[in-house]
Amino acid sequence: MAQTEPSPAARPLALVTGATGYIGGRLAPELLAAGYAVRTLARSPEKLRDHPWAGRTEACRGDVTDAASVRAALDGVDTAYYLVHAIGTGRDFEETDRRAARIFAEQARAAGVRRLVYLGGLTPDGVPQQELSPHLRSRAEVADILLASGVPTAVLRAAVIIGSGSASFEMLRYLAERLPVMVTPSWVRTRIQPIAIRDVLRYLVGCAGLPDDVSRAFDIGGPDVLTYRDMMQRYARVAGLPERLILPVPMLTPGLSSRWVGLVTPVPGALARPLAESLRHEVVCQEHDIARYVPDQPGRPIPFDDALDLALRRIREAEVATRWSSAAVPGAPSDPLPTDPDWAGGSLYTDRRARRVDAAPEALWRVVEGIGGEHGWYSSGLAWAARGWLDRIVGGVGLRRGRRDAGRLRVGDALDFWRVEEIVPGRLLRLRAEMRLPGLAWLELAVGHDTHGRTVYCQRALFHPHGLAGHAYWRAVSPFHAAVFGGMARNIARTAEMAPEPPAP
């Protein structure tokens, strides 16, 4: 007799916090495949809507700093994954992390959760906690809080995670690809034990099945211990690049290092700094006890070169499931579009453009959905580049986040310095700005018809100013809108008209 899949009620329930982020967005489908029912907790669960696994999970709206929403999300949960942090939110991020971890620990104990699982950072052996970088120190403190919760807890401590779309991989990739000759910080000589994302996910899923009497931290890493210099050279070899000339110098402080990384790679300074600071100390596994409970398989853990090859293959095949930019940028606006029912009112500037397009709606939509990244923004490339550089200078994300997928978008995707807020296939793409602005901004691109049934492209830019600076900003840039937004509308229409017809099925 054929076996039937157990109903969700009969399967153990796993809660994934941080499901809109890089790790959480990949863990949820792995748990489903392993037979768990999955619930997600996110401040904006609508960002998960377009993930292929979203319809098989239960989404809860909430925040780990809000005890009531955490308690509701933990109801009936067997294993809870804590995959959130406040890095990059400001100088008080350690206090935010501390408060959130305490709330989560208290509510997990009150809800009768069987196990907590936390992915933290690998800390150097013999270095006092107060001497660690703020990033690693906060990760270690969160681990201590969860281990002291009274709920059996597994803390996985990892160093550099190698996988398509991870911040560490993107940093390594762009440094190696863009700089054949590098003057680098001294931390390129630090020994590191990187780990493939596939092994991280395997250990995370395996921790749900740990015996109840196991409550401790585990070091996890791949089979290779390398310096960052070695990692860059081996990336160049795997990617088919010439050997890189790397010249370490001692005068590049973590602050200068993060600015250097921010200029060369898509990783913004706010994220590059904790990554760079974490490389000051040697981070090598002191044990491999996790293998007692989650046994190694042939070829596992994955060697470093194989992990690089897998990541590059995913990028070439446009199969990057999540990226470091999947998570919202700390401090980025999340207010609703001004036409939403709960819009608070106030001044609103609008730039509208519409053009009739001599092409099928499907052809126009392909251009709209393919915007940004390598395709650019269909108007003055110099103007867009200058705006991106200006944003990087003031600490923003700039244009270089690119796209997760060259041809397809989903709600929550980062798109250069925009975020996909809404997408209605074939009809509407709405983007919310995550650049540094004295106000809130959106850009809508829509495909429609006129009264004669002809294809029409509609474009709308909206700006809600914050204070006098916001009004001054709009007045300063509005003279350039005809060239930027007008040119964008013309060139999108022209590109759709010139596009070849897709082959018949």
Side-chain angles (χ1 to χ4, degrees):
M1 180 179 294
Q3 290 185 333
T4 58
E5 183 178 345
S7 67
R11 291 179 279 157
L13 178 60
L15 175 70
V16 178
T17 64
T20 58
Y22 177 73
I23 298 292
R26 297 192 179 206
L27 177 60
E30 294 292 327
L31 288 167
L32 289 168
Y36 292 89
V38 175
R39 177 184 295 160
T40 59
L41 174 65
R43 284 175 295 181
S44 302
E46 57 273 7
K47 289 181 180 179
L48 300 172
R49 185 191 71 193
D50 295 333
H51 285 258
W53 46 264
R56 300 164 58 202
T57 64
E58 175 191 356
C60 289
R61 185 182 301 275
D63 190 289
V64 289
T65 60
D66 175 45
S69 64
V70 170
R71 180 66 179 86
L74 287 168
D75 185 42
V77 166
D78 179 83
T79 302
Y81 288 87
Y82 193 76
L83 304 174
V84 295
H85 59 75
I87 294 169
T89 57
R91 294 183 178 180
D92 61 346
F93 82 88
E94 289 182 83
E95 173 55 31
T96 302
D97 273 340
R98 186 180 304 121
R99 178 163 52 92
R102 286 173 177 162
I103 289 172
F104 199 81
E106 292 166 0
Q107 296 306 317
R109 185 174 60 250
V113 172
R114 187 187 65 83
R115 171 162 298 282
L116 297 177
V117 183
Y118 172 58
L119 178 62
L122 187 59
T123 52
D125 186 47
V127 177
Q129 191 163 312
Q130 63 270 21
E131 295 182 15
L132 298 175
S133 70
H135 163 55
L136 285 182
R137 186 170 62 236
S138 181
R139 291 293 184 97
E141 186 178 11
V142 168
D144 291 341
I145 290 170
L146 296 178
L147 285 166
S149 65
V151 179
T153 299
V155 173
L156 299 181
R157 307 194 313 166
V160 171
I161 296 176
I162 301 298
S164 59
S166 77
S168 297
F169 174 75
E170 294 279 283
M171 186 169 120
L172 173 68
R173 173 191 173 199
Y174 280 91
L175 287 175
E177 288 187 354
R178 292 181 171 175
L179 298 177
V181 179
M182 286 177 263
V183 176
T184 59
S186 58
W187 49 253
V188 299
R189 293 174 291 199
T190 303
R191 294 171 74 240
I192 306 162
Q193 191 164 354
I195 183 171
I197 180 62
R198 296 190 185 196
D199 285 318
V200 173
L201 295 172
R202 179 170 63 90
Y203 290 136
L204 284 168
V205 173
C207 281
L210 292 177
D212 291 347
D213 61 350
V214 176
S215 188
R216 53 163 292 186
F218 296 94
D219 292 354
I220 59 171
D224 303 285
V225 177
L226 308 161
T227 67
Y228 204 86
R229 185 182 189 279
D230 294 335
M231 290 167 61
M232 287 191 285
Q233 294 289 21
R234 288 173 72 160
Y235 176 91
R237 186 162 60 248
V238 171
L241 303 171
E243 184 175 354
R244 275 27 203 158
L245 179 60
I246 300 171
L247 306 171
V249 294
M251 70 279 300
L252 284 177
T253 65
L256 289 174
S257 295
S258 64
R259 291 183 182 275
W260 170 69
V261 171
L263 286 173
V264 177
T265 80
V267 180
L271 183 55
R273 178 156 190 154
L275 290 176
E277 287 179 334
S278 300
L279 297 172
R280 288 184 302 169
H281 300 290
E282 182 176 283
V283 279
V284 176
C285 296
Q286 301 302 307
E287 44 83 9
H288 189 51
D289 295 348
I290 189 66
R292 300 179 195 169
Y293 306 98
V294 186
D296 291 333
Q297 304 162 353
R300 296 293 186 94
I302 297 172
F304 179 72
D305 288 4
D306 291 347
L308 291 177
D309 185 63
L310 287 167
L312 287 170
R313 194 183 311 162
R314 289 285 189 183
I315 293 170
R316 287 193 297 266
E317 296 173 357
E319 292 183 356
V320 180
T322 60
R323 292 184 70 213
W324 62 270
S325 55
S326 300
V329 174
S334 58
D335 298 54
L337 182 73
T339 50
D340 286 356
D342 55 350
W343 174 248
S347 300
L348 182 66
Y349 294 109
T350 304
D351 181 279
R352 299 176 187 269
R353 311 275 168 172
R355 293 187 69 86
R356 199 182 77 195
V357 182
D358 293 327
E362 295 79 12
L364 177 57
W365 177 251
R366 283 194 295 272
V367 178
V368 168
E369 192 176 11
I371 200 167
E374 294 182 359
H375 292 154
W377 292 89
Y378 294 96
S379 61
S380 172
L382 180 61
W384 283 94
R387 187 62 186 87
W389 276 106
L390 177 61
D391 195 50
R392 301 284 287 200
I393 290 170
V394 298
V397 295
L399 274 178
R400 288 188 307 213
R401 289 191 302 184
R403 298 171 55 111
R404 177 190 58 84
D405 185 289
R408 294 166 295 175
L409 292 174
R410 65 189 183 203
V411 169
D413 271 358
L415 181 57
D416 292 328
F417 47 42
W418 304 91
R419 176 82 57 181
V420 178
E421 184 173 85
E422 181 59 270
I423 183 166
V424 181
R427 292 174 49 201
L428 172 71
L429 173 63
R430 181 190 304 148
L431 307 174
R432 189 183 69 245
E434 290 190 335
M435 66 192 86
R436 298 295 179 93
L437 288 170
L440 307 173
W442 295 263
L443 179 62
E444 281 190 344
L445 298 83
V447 176
H449 298 89
D450 62 15
T451 55
H452 301 287
R454 294 172 295 193
T455 305
V456 174
Y457 170 70
C458 299
Q459 179 180 293
R460 185 169 68 140
L462 303 104
F463 182 69
H464 175 60
H466 285 170
L468 183 60
H471 292 279
Y473 172 82
W474 180 265
R475 295 183 187 281
V477 299
S478 57
F480 304 99
H481 285 176
V484 176
F485 291 131
M488 184 177 176
R490 287 193 303 273
N491 291 328
I492 285 177
R494 185 180 301 124
T495 302
E497 291 170 344
M498 296 174 62
E501 291 291 328

